[in-house]
Every structure is written in C-alpha cells, then in structure tokens.
Amino acid sequence: MSKFSQQQEAWMKIVVIGTGFAGIGMAVRLKQAGYDDFVVLERAADVGGTWRDNTYPGCRCDVPSHLYSFSFAPNPDWSSTFSPQPEIEDYLRKVTDLYGVRPHIRFNHAVESAHWEDGRWRIATSQGEFTADILLSGMGPLAEPSYPELPGIEDFEGDVFHSARWDHDLDLAGRKVAVIGTGASAIQFVPAIQPEVEELHLFQRTPPWVMPRPDRKITPLEKSIYRRFPLAQKAVRAGIYWARESMVLGFAKLPAIMRQAQKVAEKHLAHQIRDPKLRAELTPDFTLGCKRVLISDDYYPAVAQPNVDVVTDGIAEVTRTGIVTTEGVKHEVDTIIYGTGFKVTDLPVMDLVHGRDGVSLRDAWSDGMEAHLGTAVAGFPNFFMLIGPNTGLGHSSMVFMIESQIAYILDALRTMDRKGLQQVEVRREVQRAFVDGVRASMRNTVWTRGGCSSWYLDAQGRNTTLWPSFTFRFRRLTRRFKVAEYLAM
C-alpha cells in the first residue's frame, strides 16, 4: 500500500532537492537545456544552502573567489580574493534571478520522504506531495550540524548554540564563552568574537594545521577589466584552477611534497605564537593534509590573547555553570558555542530517500556510503545525487565537481529522451568496480596514511567523502553517460 495519501499530487518530470550551489546550478542547466517541467524543493525561505545557514562572524570561503563560482556565471565584483559569506549568498540569489529559476522553486517545502513506487518517485514535503519521473538530490554534506554528546549539557543554565545556527540576538560582550572545536568554522569566528568576550575557553581535541591566508582586496581597476574583458577573468580562474590541481601531487601522489608545505605551516605558527608552551599545544602530530588544511592570518594572534585559554584536556561533563575536564578542572562559562562541523558521513538524505522495495539509502549504505561517480546508486532508479560519496575535495572548488555531475546528469536525461527510456539504474557491478577503484587510489594518500582521525573517514575508517585524484580526471569520467553501465528500460 502506498505511503502517500490518495489526494491529488503535483506531477513534475523532475524534482530537485535543495538550493545551494548544487540545486541552483542544476536548475539553471535544466532550464537552459529546455526542461521546464521541474521544481526545486527548498526547506528554507530563500536560496543559498550552507551559505545561507552559516552566518557566524568571520564566515568566508577558503577557496579563491574566481574559482568558487559557476563557470557560466562569472562575478567580476568579488570584493576580495577569498569571498565573505554575505557575498556568496548574494551571488547565489543573483544567479537564481538572472537565469529565471526562482519561479521553479517551492520555498518552505521541507522534504520529509521520497519513495520509488510504481515506476516513479513520490515525494512528501511539509506542504504537500509531488510525483516525479526523476529525482535529483542537491542536499550537500554541510547541511546538518554535528553535536557532540556531552554528559550534563541539558542541565547547563547558560546559552548554547552551534556555529551553523548562530544566535545573532545574543550579545557576547563581557561573556565567558566556551568554544568546542577548532575546525574550519572555529578558526574564523574565534578571532571575530575574541575582542568582545571577557573569557574564551577554547576546547581543542586536535590542533589543525593552519597556513597563511593569501587574501587581498580586488581593486576597482581589476573589476573594471573583468567586466570589459571577461576572458581576463577566465584566465585568472584557469590559473587558480591549475595551481590548485598541482596540490593533488602532495595529497595523493607524492606525500613527501607535504613535508615542504608543512614547513610553511610550522613557520607560520612559530612566527605568530611566541609562547613555547602554547605553540606546543597548537602543533599537530600528524602530516599536513590528513585533516582539512585551514587558512588564517588572525586565528593564532587571537588565541594568544590574555583572555583566551586553550584547553587540551577532554570534556568529562557539563554542569549548570560550566564545563569540567577529564583532569577535574572546572571552567566557569555562561555560553557554549559548538564549532563541531557537520554530519558529512551521516547525510540527512540517507533517511529520506527509499529505492526499490522501500530500501533507504541508509540501509543500502550500511557498509559505507558509495555511488557510481558519486552520482548514481544501485537500487535507486532515476535518482541522481550531486555532491555524493567521494566527490569532496581537499584542494579545490566543489563547484567544479558539481558542474561535472550536472553535465553527466543532463547527458543521462538526453539519452533517456533520445532512446525513449523510462528508467535507468546503475548496475551494481559497475558501482562496485568504481568504488573499488576509488578505495585503491585512496590507500597511499595523506588522508589515509597521515596519522590522524578526521571527518573524512567513516566508522570503518574508510574515506567515503573525498575524491582521491585530479578533478580534471573526474570531469573526464563524467563527460558522457554510458547507458551500458545501467539497467535501462
């Protein structure tokens, strides 16, 4: 019996979930390819994805602006070489309107479930039901905040929030703040709040490697040149792209290269942290690149200020008025801010999407996330993912990967139309061969042999998040949809 009511449903050929870079990029390309019978379901009231939700002080991208944008929609007006969050969110809004996809978006439509039934997808949302021939997920891995399990947190009498759900109504001036985590978000907001708080207790489980940030303002002359001569900006983008691609040599091909890069990070740390004890606490014990490499020029100076206490002991419990470490030291605080990242190996889409025989993605991935080209999953007909397993990057722009997947999906749709196919489902043996190849390529990379435990790895210690090679190789693999790799009917 169908899990859906018998009320009339809205039918669309294609349903896209999410309005971050993946969803908006997919919508633009669908429209350009002549597909008008599609909707984009968005749980929030506006577009933007992670760049709408993450509004913490100091939030910005750590990939250069000219590369962190759509190839078909260059922005000559970036203010700096590394874009701040409000500019990226505004960029996505402008692309949405410029390419006419806003009418296709259904805002405040949170997807509650999607089931493959009777040869089509039935999607339940918070505001009604949809039926579609094709389901495309643009739900990225940086969507749902990850919260650590802290004994006693429910008894804490102060304020608690995650950096991805920043409480802008709370004035931090004069407060005693505990920050839990020292990842990519924390190293951005810690320098922003440090001057205003009375005390900042930074709970660090593992120190990150931090490289200098080569950021600068983009001059009015440069912007004028980009507007008048788009090829100039395209050339700059290409230069950034190939410079970033060269980093793969250290990450995945010749790990010895990382030792030279690590010397740069060590020098950066030594230059900005003079206190030997604090410097030792902030020095990682793993190879640079094993965890996400962070970039900042103001994190270390902020941490060195007198009102900041770096806590390297584990957390034993939270009391009504503070945090007690495993060494029995109590830190009196009135505010706790989680800088603990996202559920990148426990994606929300895993519980929402159900394929053949009602099998959820979570069940299908009980032995780890996997998908052919990070895009198609065996047992899930007419379903394609953007930013799926093993498409993440440690060196370059995810927008490049997204555009590669979009081109692959569009070729799949054109192939289905041309051949009159109603269903395509990747063959399990094809998916297995691809995943085995990725895992073989991952064995000697810094991500698996760098001596650390990172969010790149799943519970079995496998890297199911990153792409272990050059992005141009991924683009080559996704250039054409090969119908022979699919069960087609």
Side-chain angles (χ1 to χ4, degrees):
M1 182 176 179
S2 172
K3 299 177 184 300
F4 294 81
S5 67
Q6 297 304 308
Q7 68 184 56
Q8 185 175 2
E9 301 162 349
W11 178 87
M12 286 286 169
K13 180 180 179 65
I14 303 166
V15 165
V16 182
I17 306 175
T19 62
F21 269 97
I24 294 302
M26 189 76 248
V28 170
R29 288 311 206 189
L30 282 171
K31 198 167 183 67
Q32 289 178 330
Y35 293 97
D36 284 317
D37 46 354
F38 71 91
V39 294
V40 185
L41 303 177
E42 170 54 55
R43 65 181 179 178
D46 204 351
V47 303
T50 191
W51 295 106
R52 176 199 60 233
D53 296 340
N54 284 266
T55 60
Y56 60 80
C59 182
R60 65 174 54 236
C61 189
D62 57 6
V63 174
S65 310
H66 294 306
L67 188 57
Y68 198 79
S69 51
F70 293 118
S71 62
F72 58 81
N75 176 22
D77 295 316
W78 295 121
S79 65
S80 60
T81 51
F82 290 87
S83 313
Q85 173 267 330
E87 286 188 33
I88 301 174
E89 183 183 14
D90 187 56
Y91 169 78
L92 284 169
R93 290 197 189 109
K94 288 180 178 177
V95 170
T96 299
D97 294 326
L98 179 64
Y99 290 89
V101 298
R102 191 173 290 271
H104 292 269
I105 303 174
R106 303 296 180 263
F107 292 111
N108 300 307
H109 279 63
V111 174
E112 297 173 344
S113 67
H115 288 77
W116 175 257
E117 294 181 357
D118 302 323
R120 59 180 50 183
W121 284 99
R122 298 180 182 273
I123 302 109
T125 79
S126 57
Q127 295 200 42
E129 299 166 358
F130 294 80
T131 303
D133 295 334
I134 310 290
L135 178 62
L136 308 178
S137 172
M139 300 174 65
L142 306 184
E144 290 299 322
S146 176
Y147 294 88
E149 294 184 6
L150 301 180
I153 187 65
E154 65 279 357
D155 298 323
F156 183 64
E157 296 178 348
D159 295 284
V160 184
F161 58 90
H162 194 283
S163 62
R165 301 291 183 265
W166 196 270
D167 186 352
H168 291 279
D169 294 328
L170 182 64
D171 185 1
L172 294 178
R175 287 205 164 220
K176 297 180 180 180
V177 178
V179 172
I180 301 176
T182 53
S185 300
I187 74 156
Q188 292 184 341
F189 72 74
V190 163
I193 68 173
Q194 174 271 318
E196 58 181 298
V197 303
E198 179 180 342
E199 297 177 9
L200 197 159
H201 301 265
L202 182 60
F203 287 82
Q204 171 189 275
R205 184 176 60 179
T206 307
W209 283 112
V210 181
M211 298 285 276
R213 177 187 290 276
D215 196 15
R216 66 173 180 83
K217 295 292 183 182
I218 296 177
T219 68
L221 176 60
E222 289 175 281
K223 296 177 185 180
S224 176
I225 291 173
Y226 296 150
R227 280 191 290 270
R228 294 184 60 190
F229 306 103
L231 284 178
Q233 188 173 13
K234 185 175 289 188
V236 171
R237 177 187 174 97
I240 296 170
Y241 171 78
W242 288 110
R244 289 271 165 162
E245 282 295 272
S246 68
M247 296 169 64
V248 175
L249 294 174
F251 283 122
K253 307 299 181 183
L254 301 170
I257 295 176
M258 299 308 294
R259 287 197 287 270
Q260 298 304 314
Q262 188 167 308
K263 289 180 180 179
V264 175
E266 290 170 347
K267 184 177 180 180
H268 185 52
L269 173 60
H271 176 71
Q272 293 197 318
I273 301 294
R274 299 297 186 181
D275 177 28
K277 180 177 180 296
L278 179 58
R279 191 187 313 145
E281 292 174 337
L282 296 174
T283 301
D285 62 357
F286 54 86
T287 303
L288 183 140
C290 184
K291 285 179 177 284
R292 183 174 174 179
V293 180
L294 308 181
I295 55 174
S296 176
D297 288 333
D298 53 9
Y299 175 67
Y300 286 145
V303 170
Q305 296 305 307
N307 67 330
V308 178
D309 174 27
V310 176
V311 183
T312 57
D313 296 329
I315 296 175
E317 64 172 333
V318 179
T319 68
R320 292 184 301 105
T321 59
I323 297 176
V324 180
T325 70
T326 52
E327 298 299 310
V329 178
K330 183 176 182 181
H331 298 263
E332 296 283 351
V333 298
D334 52 38
T335 307
I336 296 176
I337 303 176
Y338 293 112
T340 46
F342 301 87
K343 297 179 179 180
V344 296
T345 58
D346 187 24
L347 306 179
V349 70
M350 293 167 66
D351 294 315
L352 298 180
V353 177
H354 298 73
R356 291 192 183 281
D357 302 318
V359 176
S360 69
L361 272 174
R362 181 173 297 281
D363 291 336
W365 288 346
S366 60
D367 194 36
M369 298 191 302
E370 59 179 63
H372 180 52
L373 299 172
T375 309
V377 184
F380 293 77
N382 291 7
F383 172 67
F384 298 97
M385 300 183 69
L386 294 158
I387 325 183
N390 289 116
T391 60
L393 298 175
H395 71 286
S396 191
S397 172
M398 278 305 303
V399 183
F400 185 91
M401 300 292 278
I402 288 169
E403 289 198 57
S404 300
Q405 290 182 285
I406 288 173
Y408 181 78
I409 293 169
L410 285 175
D411 198 43
L413 296 178
R414 285 190 291 263
T415 300
M416 292 177 70
D417 290 342
R418 187 173 65 251
K419 293 181 176 292
L421 300 174
Q422 301 300 310
Q423 296 179 26
V424 291
E425 176 189 341
V426 68
R427 295 177 182 274
R428 199 167 296 276
E429 64 272 18
V430 170
Q431 177 175 302
R432 172 49 47 196
F434 173 78
V435 172
D436 287 346
V438 168
R439 290 178 180 173
S441 299
M442 196 72 73
R443 288 190 190 118
N444 293 315
T445 66
V446 69
W447 303 303
T448 54
R449 291 184 174 271
C452 73
S453 174
S454 73
W455 58 262
Y456 298 145
L457 308 180
D458 64 13
Q460 287 75 41
R462 291 176 302 210
N463 193 327
T464 58
T465 57
L466 295 184
W467 174 245
S469 185
F470 298 101
T471 63
F472 63 76
R473 181 169 178 265
F474 184 81
R475 175 149 295 186
R476 187 166 63 244
L477 290 171
T478 53
R479 191 170 300 280
R480 290 287 181 267
F481 175 80
K482 300 176 181 178
V483 71
E485 297 180 336
Y486 286 72
L487 300 169
M489 58 183 294

